[in-house]
Amino acid sequence: MYCIDDKKYPCTTSLTMKYIGGKWKAVILIHLIRKLRYNELRKELPMVTERTISLQLKELEEDGLIKRTVHTSKPPLKVEYELTEFGETLIPLLKAISEWGRETAKSNKRIDVVA
């Protein structure tokens, strides 16, 4: 049993999924390997609703995986997102997940690879 913030996890896999589980968190995180403005991230994920992206970003920020920087020096307001040092520890895992998906897509004739 593993405990973080008074929440119990039966195994380390469930603990990992607490941070990256769900349909879009890992996808958002892999895009944030490089710093992106909110609108840039939206363009990268056209199939995800604005509300979903906003909620996932909030959760990722609360979990300490990403940081949100607001630049107010001149209009229009500029908001950037990037991985924190803690979030960067996920990069090898995110890249491995991405590579597994790429290889699966190549080897599975039922999956169409669209550029």
Side-chain angles (χ1 to χ4, degrees):
M1 189 73 62
Y2 300 87
C3 292
I4 290 187
D5 298 328
D6 297 325
K7 186 156 182 185
K8 294 179 181 174
Y9 300 91
C11 64
T12 53
T13 301
S14 64
L15 174 61
T16 303
M17 296 311 292
K18 173 240 189 284
Y19 289 102
I20 66 165
K23 190 171 181 180
W24 299 111
K25 281 186 180 178
V27 175
I28 290 169
L29 287 167
I30 196 127
H31 285 284
L32 291 179
I33 286 176
R34 67 184 206 284
K35 186 187 301 188
L36 290 175
R37 292 176 65 178
Y38 180 81
N39 286 335
E40 293 170 325
L41 182 60
R42 287 265 307 127
K43 286 177 188 169
E44 300 263 340
L45 305 170
M47 71 295 293
V48 186
T49 66
E50 193 167 330
R51 183 182 189 311
T52 297
I53 291 175
S54 294
L55 289 171
Q56 297 293 278
L57 286 170
K58 243 178 232 176
E59 288 179 21
L60 291 167
E61 187 178 12
E62 287 170 4
D63 286 339
L65 295 173
I66 65 169
K67 74 176 181 178
R68 177 181 189 264
T69 306
V70 179
H71 301 279
T72 58
S73 56
K74 59 180 180 176
L77 190 69
K78 181 176 164 185
V79 178
E80 293 179 319
Y81 292 90
E82 64 186 306
L83 296 178
T84 61
E85 193 173 318
F86 179 49
E88 288 175 352
T89 64
L90 285 170
I91 291 174
L93 174 63
L94 295 168
K95 286 185 175 182
I97 290 169
S98 181
E99 183 58 29
W100 184 88
R102 188 177 357 273
E103 291 303 315
T104 300
K106 279 189 210 172
S107 66
N108 191 329
K109 293 177 181 22
R110 295 177 299 160
I111 298 175
D112 291 327
V113 179
V114 181

